Amino acid sequence: MYEPTVARLTYRALLGRRRAAVLFVLPALLIAIAVAVRLLTGADDQIASDVLGGFAIATMIPLIGVIAGTGAIGPEIDDGSIVYLLAKPVKRPTIIFTKLIVAIAVTMAFSAIPTFVAGMILNGNGGQIAIAYTVAALVASVAYSAIFLLLGTVSRHAVVFGLVYALVWETLFGSLVPGARTLSVQQWALSLAERIGANGVITSDVALPTAVVLLAAVTVAATWYAGQKLRTLKLAGEE
């Protein structure tokens, strides 16, 4: 299910000079914010939670997921080079699974590590806040990568749709509209963080069992459907 050659090409595409520069901006901004907040307010659990929840989980991770998830396959579809990959004796689910693993690894590296560093800067992991949000970043990275990889497979405008989802649904509706929170990856991830962090500091509107089931279901369903669409794409190319 994992093809090293596909993985190497995907890593090269994601970590090229221009895309890597974009990936570094948001983590650097998070750490800069954490340093400034710590200097201005000192160590405070609630402020640390607000910064990590409001910027890292709600904004940074979805945007990095858009870049990594859509970038893992979208450019190949746009320029037609996916046809050469599909002509190789590699199963379509293997291609999708390999690209998903790469997208997850990149999203985790550029989101979970900066989140942990920022948490340590903000309050030295008081109340297990840094660990809690790092775990949330890890699990959110998996779901976002699957969702945005699927978008990259089914649409040539995946980045636009991904940004709308990340900025409008997750950041706006997922934070403000009660009904939408149940269908928010952000809230599912926060449910895990809530269980790990100090009582009352981190909150989520989704119960932990529900969050775990939804995270798993969305990840599996998006990955499976992306594989099905890739098969359809191959047939369209041959016709």
Side-chain angles (χ1 to χ4, degrees):
M1 292 296 294
Y2 182 82
E3 174 55 48
T5 301
V6 175
R8 184 172 63 253
L9 293 173
T10 307
Y11 275 119
R12 185 180 300 172
L14 287 178
L15 300 177
R17 187 171 301 174
R18 294 176 62 184
R19 197 174 297 271
V22 176
L23 286 171
F24 274 109
V25 170
L26 290 170
L29 181 58
L30 172 63
I31 293 175
I33 292 172
V35 171
V37 170
R38 178 60 185 268
L39 291 174
L40 292 173
T41 66
D44 183 282
D45 290 354
Q46 188 58 58
I47 292 176
S49 179
D50 291 343
V51 171
L52 295 178
F55 184 78
I57 300 297
T59 303
M60 182 185 77
I61 299 173
L63 290 178
I64 291 176
V66 170
I67 297 170
T70 61
I73 196 169
E76 291 175 297
I77 294 177
D78 291 341
D79 63 20
S81 61
I82 189 70
V83 174
Y84 299 100
L85 180 59
L86 296 177
K88 303 296 181 182
V90 181
K91 295 180 179 179
R92 306 305 170 266
T94 299
I95 295 174
I96 289 296
F97 183 76
T98 301
K99 288 182 174 293
L100 175 62
I101 293 299
V102 173
I104 290 172
V106 171
T107 305
M108 284 182 172
F110 284 91
S111 61
I113 295 174
T115 298
F116 177 75
V117 172
M120 295 300 293
I121 293 171
L122 285 164
N123 76 333
N125 197 38
Q128 294 292 305
I129 289 175
I131 295 296
Y133 278 106
T134 299
V135 171
L138 290 171
V139 298
S141 295
V142 177
Y144 283 133
S145 295
I147 291 169
F148 296 130
L149 179 64
L150 171 60
L151 278 178
T153 306
V154 302
S155 174
R156 291 183 178 273
H157 306 288
V159 174
V160 175
F161 291 134
L163 289 174
V164 170
Y165 176 87
L167 296 176
V168 178
W169 182 264
E170 289 286 354
T171 303
L172 184 59
F173 287 97
S175 300
L176 302 177
V177 182
R181 293 173 187 169
T182 305
L183 300 178
S184 168
V185 175
Q186 172 190 340
Q187 292 298 321
W188 304 342
L190 286 175
S191 180
L192 294 170
E194 182 181 21
R195 180 61 62 91
I196 297 170
N199 291 335
V201 178
I202 305 172
T203 59
S204 172
D205 292 331
V206 182
L208 182 58
T210 303
V212 171
V213 170
L214 289 173
L215 281 166
V218 165
T219 301
V220 172
T223 304
W224 174 82
Y225 191 60
Q228 297 305 306
K229 293 302 293 183
L230 198 60
R231 291 181 180 182
T232 304
L233 182 67
K234 176 181 183 296
L235 294 174
E238 288 180 343
E239 293 173 357

